[in-house]
Amino acid sequence: LVGGVGVDSGVIGVGGGEVPLLDIPPEGLSQLRVDVWAGAPGPAIGHYTVTVSRQDVFACTEQGILDAIAMGGGPHTFDCAGPTAVVTTAEIVIDNDVILDGEGNLMVDGNDDHAVFVVPSQVTAELHGLVVMNGRAVPSGIPGVHAAGGILNDGVLTVTNTTITGNAMTFTGSNGLDAGGILNNGILTVHDGILSGNLNFAIENMGTMTIARTTLSGNDNSTGNCGAAIHNWDGEATVIDSEVSGNMGPCHAISNGNRSQLFSDLTLIRTTVSGNENGGLHNSYGAMTIEDSTVSGNTGYGGIATLSILVLSNSTVSGNVSTDSNFAGGIHNKFSGTSLDLIASTVAYNVPGN
């Protein structure tokens, strides 16, 4: 049932009975009372309170997005006449539980000036079918206060069928915990998406993150840190059925852990890490598990470098090349005593050495 403005009452049939609809307010997420009769109208045999959500179509503008957020609920769509770039004047704060669906047409542009979306704590939101583009992270310089160009998430956020592209973080030499694309300090799920062409961490994770059926490609990093595609700083991250390829930067495309020795967990399942310019994966002060995955064709620092816990299961590391004499082409286990478990895996044809 979808409540609507101006609906005062009505009667619908359910299984031979009748359900009069009473007390329907027009809010986006509301409740209605349903009285149920057994047959002909008479004393009600019971009544139920059910939650209904209202779906509306909003203007394909910045104000339309703000209006949809203010209403809450959803999913809310927008009357875009084909792909439409909406250049915003300020970051859009999603301060209400809401589902926004751009249907593949709504392109939200930060004008290379500010973040595109901010999701505060205590908010649960979903973004479907959007392009989040040209956001700019403006670091505060205040310890513990973070910034992101595309999306800053402190709440619970699901991003579906969405492209995050062309976003950047201005690096000042001390803001390694900000991000160009997405910075997650809450609970983040990204699936069936694309993160491409972002500068200085496509995703920085300090919370709980799941990425599925998503491509991370062509992202760059000028911060001096690893992790142009994924920088799992001190969070828990799982990457499933995804592709990480063609990313650039000073070192590996995926980084787990950090120099502050905060412990991080990163799991890759059925994921391909290939063709990245300065290495595939770097694991420091964390646990990295790679299952049913392929690490191949990465150059610079080779396939995988680890100085912590690494488990490789039913996976292949092949055709990687290190041009740095301090790194092996396949798996470089930096310190003696570091835990490295290879289970039913192939490590072959890496240069120099596996």
Side-chain angles (χ1 to χ4, degrees):
L1 298 176
V2 179
V5 175
V7 178
D8 295 321
S9 63
V11 178
I12 59 174
V14 177
E18 293 180 337
V19 181
L21 303 181
L22 307 175
D23 305 326
I24 305 177
E27 288 85 345
L29 190 64
S30 57
Q31 292 184 331
L32 60 84
R33 193 186 76 198
V34 179
D35 289 345
V36 180
W37 277 261
I45 63 172
H47 63 83
Y48 306 88
T49 300
V50 296
T51 299
V52 296
S53 62
R54 174 178 168 184
Q55 179 176 346
D56 287 87
V57 178
F58 289 84
C60 189
T61 62
E62 182 177 7
Q63 188 59 52
I65 298 170
L66 294 172
D67 290 343
I69 293 169
M71 174 166 286
H76 300 311
T77 58
F78 303 86
D79 62 353
C80 305
T84 303
V86 173
V87 180
T88 56
T89 58
E91 65 185 27
I92 294 176
V93 179
I94 302 177
D95 55 2
N96 207 356
D97 292 354
V98 70
I99 302 171
L100 305 179
D101 188 352
E103 299 183 309
N105 289 320
L106 180 56
M107 306 163 67
V108 189
D109 191 322
N111 200 26
D112 197 30
D113 177 70
H114 49 264
V116 180
F117 289 111
V118 174
V119 182
S121 61
Q122 310 303 318
V123 170
T124 298
E126 297 182 22
L127 302 177
H128 300 175
L130 300 175
V131 176
V132 177
M133 58 191 290
N134 298 333
R136 171 70 63 172
V138 183
S140 67
I142 302 172
V145 178
H146 307 298
I151 302 171
L152 173 61
N153 178 52
D154 288 317
V156 179
L157 177 64
T158 300
V159 181
T160 306
N161 292 316
T162 290
T163 297
I164 314 292
T165 185
N167 303 286
M169 179 263 285
T170 301
F171 183 59
T172 64
S174 61
N175 54 337
L177 295 183
D178 302 309
I182 301 175
L183 190 146
N184 176 52
N185 200 33
I187 299 174
L188 173 68
T189 302
V190 178
H191 58 87
D192 301 290
I194 296 172
L195 288 97
S196 66
N198 300 287
L199 177 62
N200 295 335
F201 309 128
I203 298 182
E204 172 104 44
N205 180 51
M206 294 182 287
T208 301
M209 177 179 73
T210 301
I211 300 173
R213 302 182 301 278
T214 292
T215 298
L216 298 98
S217 66
N219 301 288
D220 203 349
N221 188 1
S222 63
T223 67
N225 295 305
C226 300
I230 299 173
H231 192 213
N232 190 41
W233 181 255
D234 62 349
E236 296 183 7
T238 303
V239 183
I240 307 170
D241 295 321
S242 295
E243 178 181 344
V244 181
S245 64
N247 298 283
M248 300 154 281
C251 56
H252 306 77
I254 298 176
S255 175
N256 182 52
N258 58 80
R259 296 169 186 164
S260 300
Q261 301 187 26
L262 298 173
F263 204 80
S264 303
D265 289 317
L266 174 65
T267 301
L268 271 66
I269 302 171
R270 298 185 302 276
T271 289
T272 297
V273 181
S274 67
N276 298 287
E277 280 195 5
N278 277 309
L281 302 103
H282 188 271
N283 182 40
S284 61
Y285 303 112
M288 180 181 289
T289 302
I290 302 173
E291 301 177 2
D292 302 304
S293 296
T294 299
V295 180
S296 66
N298 300 286
T299 59
Y301 295 108
I304 304 171
T306 181
L307 52 81
S308 190
I309 301 169
L310 174 63
V311 178
L312 192 73
S313 175
N314 296 304
S315 296
T316 298
V317 180
S318 67
N320 301 285
V321 176
S322 173
T323 56
D324 188 313
S325 60
N326 294 314
F327 288 80
I331 300 175
H332 184 78
N333 194 19
K334 286 186 177 182
F335 299 139
S336 61
T338 299
S339 175
L340 172 60
D341 293 330
L342 300 180
I343 304 168
S345 295
T346 299
V347 182
Y349 308 111
N350 299 287
V351 178
N354 294 311

